[in-house]
Amino acid sequence: MHKEYTVKEIIRETSNTQTYLFTGKIDYKPGQFIMLWFPNIGEKPFAVSHLKDNEFGITIECKGKFTKGICNIKKGTKVGIRGPYGNGFKIENNSIIVVGGLGMAPALPLIQKIKDSTIIQGARSKEFLLYKEDKNLIDTIAKNKNKIIYCTDDGSFGINGFTTNVLKDIINNKTKIVYTCGPEIMIKNVFDICEKNKVGCQASLERFMKCGIGVCGSCAVNDQLVCKDGPVFSSKQIRKLTELGKFARLKSGKKVPIKEYYGYRSK
Amino acid sequence: MLKQNFCEIELQNPLVLASGIFGTSVELLNRAASNGAGAVTIKSIGPVEREGNPNPTVVEIEKGLYNAVGLPTPGYLNMDEELKQWKDINVPLIASIYGSSIEDYVNITEHIQKFKPAIIELNISCPNKDDGMVFAKSPGLTKDLVKAVKSTTDIPIMPKLTPNCDNISQVAIACEAAGADAICAINTVQKEIIHPKLKAPLLSYGKGGISGPVIREIALEKVREIRDAVEIPILGVGGVTYGKGAIEMIKAGASLVGIGSGVYLRGIDVFEKVTNEMKDIMKKEGIGSINELKG
Ligand SMILES: Cc1cc2nc3c(=O)[nH]c(=O)nc-3n(C[C@H](O)[C@H](O)[C@H](O)COP(=O)(O)OP(=O)(O)OC[C@H]3O[C@@H](n4cnc5c(N)ncnc54)[C@H](O)[C@@H]3O)c2cc1C
Ligand SMILES: Cc1cc2nc3c(=O)[nH]c(=O)nc-3n(C[C@H](O)[C@H](O)[C@H](O)COP(=O)(O)O)c2cc1C
Ligand code: FES
């Protein structure tokens, strides 16, 4: 059953994203997710982005029916949380983290732990580069001897172009792992670059979830369940995922091309 | 030792993946099979595409699960690609179907029988859709339904019954009289749970069905009632997670044993674990076969 938490603070990150901080403890490994329930509104999976001793938070993009509804909630609102669920990342230093858009949210706890690594963060344009001004993040990156490279599709900040172009340039035989989260098309391209360079990949996938615990089958990619076998998949597993970047299932369970999946859900 | 014959179908062991758990696709059904399931049931297929209820739809409770997934389905006419792969499933397939009218069940049966499932299960007992239990609460309606489906196909027919009715024996007798080949019991037990602290219904449907060890005693009791009322074989489902529980279910009168929530509690290799536990117990007690167990 859901554990009860209270929204302690709401931080506006970009024009369409907000971070919700909750008081309390959570036993969370980077890469896992929680099922967040706003009573009488609904329940969805989210990654934890902020993690401290007695406080944690998630970053939500207000884009669809559910998230637009909760973007108006106030400090003090009571919520229920189940989880954390899923496997999480295996952390190796000397790695590269490639994130696109909101994919930066699940990567944040990983960045707190990893050392001697490079983060490639991409977004449509400057204002969507999540946490760019976050002092905590800038400090940990320095402390852990990590490096961050920004890219924007429109060139308004950092490198003009896709994260994958930067990855191609800097990946080498000393790269331990390439971690990636973000749009599935990007993930697929990152994986292909890793294969070419014979570097292991750990990708965090997303599918529509109902149970979050491996029983309803709604989050299936081939014979894997994203909620239970993932959400982080390694190269060995990804090689067998013929549906990756191609097909996904609607709430009804109907398998459709991935474009139709994204388009359908915005209605 | 665990081989079993059910409606003239050979199973390597009596354990069956229950409908609605894990088995939404052929690839997942085959994964259950390679983890030791003797047969697998596909997520119930309905007449038209349906999303099911909004989240929360499944929540863990003490000793089980509480769900109102609400029968999402692509709709039987939207899934030929999937149906064509049924022949690639490595163990007998039970095709679970649901509908709102006799016509729905007949139409779906007519279509899917071309893809040759081993058994067709009539889900007439879902508590999570407004008309989900109409048939299984009425012996009369159930009899008409089973008769109509039987006259549509030669594939064995197995209605799935609900404990949420006045008299499950009467419904079982109606099934047998109408020519049903077997009975599956039970579906989840209807319940309304409110979050004790957040004071809101735990599932957005408002109510739901409980499953897992919390319903084990109810399931055993219902299977005994059905065994005493009819001759046709029973697939007993409800609360089985360990070898001991599976054996109890067989002793209560079941020929096959379904596992649903056990997949959540013990992992998808629950089938291998339970078969091994059953073998150990049977060896210790000097029992050589499932039929000996039934006594
Ligand atoms: C493991 C996991 C972790 C997640 N972590 C986060 C997180 O940290 N922050 C966050 O905001 N969201 C996260 N999500 C996604 C979140 O659960 C919702 O699906 C998303 O916020 C849209 O919800 P909605 O109901 O408002 O949108 P919907 O009405 O369902 O859809 C609105 C729009 O969002 C797009 N969309 C919907 N779902 C996805 C998806 N899964 N991937 C990409 N685009 C999508 C659709 O194209 C559509 O245009 C995560 C999902 C999973 C499975
Ligand atoms: C999440 C979930 C979904 C289910 N979906 C279906 C379904 O589609 N059709 C059906 O006949 N039964 C469905 N059931 C009921 C199970 O098949 C089974 O009868 C019930 O859970 C009792 O068995 P258990 O205690 O082993 O879980 C579902 C149960 C759960 C928990
Ligand atoms: S969300 Fe139900 S199996 Fe993954």
Side-chain angles (χ1 to χ4, degrees), chain A residues 80-100:
Chain A
I81 289 177
R82 311 189 272 133
Y85 299 122
N87 54 2
F89 295 110
K90 274 203 204 88
I91 300 177
E92 301 255 19
N93 298 331
N94 296 301
S95 294
I96 300 176
I97 302 173
V98 185
V99 299

Side-chain angles (χ1 to χ4, degrees), chain B residues 211-222:
Chain B
S211 58
V214 61
I215 66 164
R216 205 183 70 179
E217 292 303 327
I218 301 174
L220 288 170
E221 188 189 306
K222 297 297 165 190

Side-chain angles (χ1 to χ4, degrees), chain A residues 1-2 85 215 223 252 264, chain B residues 22 31 49 51 60 195:
Chain A
M1 206 176 287
H2 302 83
Y85 299 122
V215 301
D223 73 346
S252 65
Y264 164 90
Chain B
F22 197 85
R31 188 168 160 198
E49 185 171 4
E51 290 192 346
E60 309 90 318
H195 193 284

Side-chain angles (χ1 to χ4, degrees), chain A residues 216-227:
Chain A
C216 75
S218 89
C219 65
V221 183
N222 295 97
D223 73 346
Q224 299 290 297
L225 295 174
V226 172
C227 69

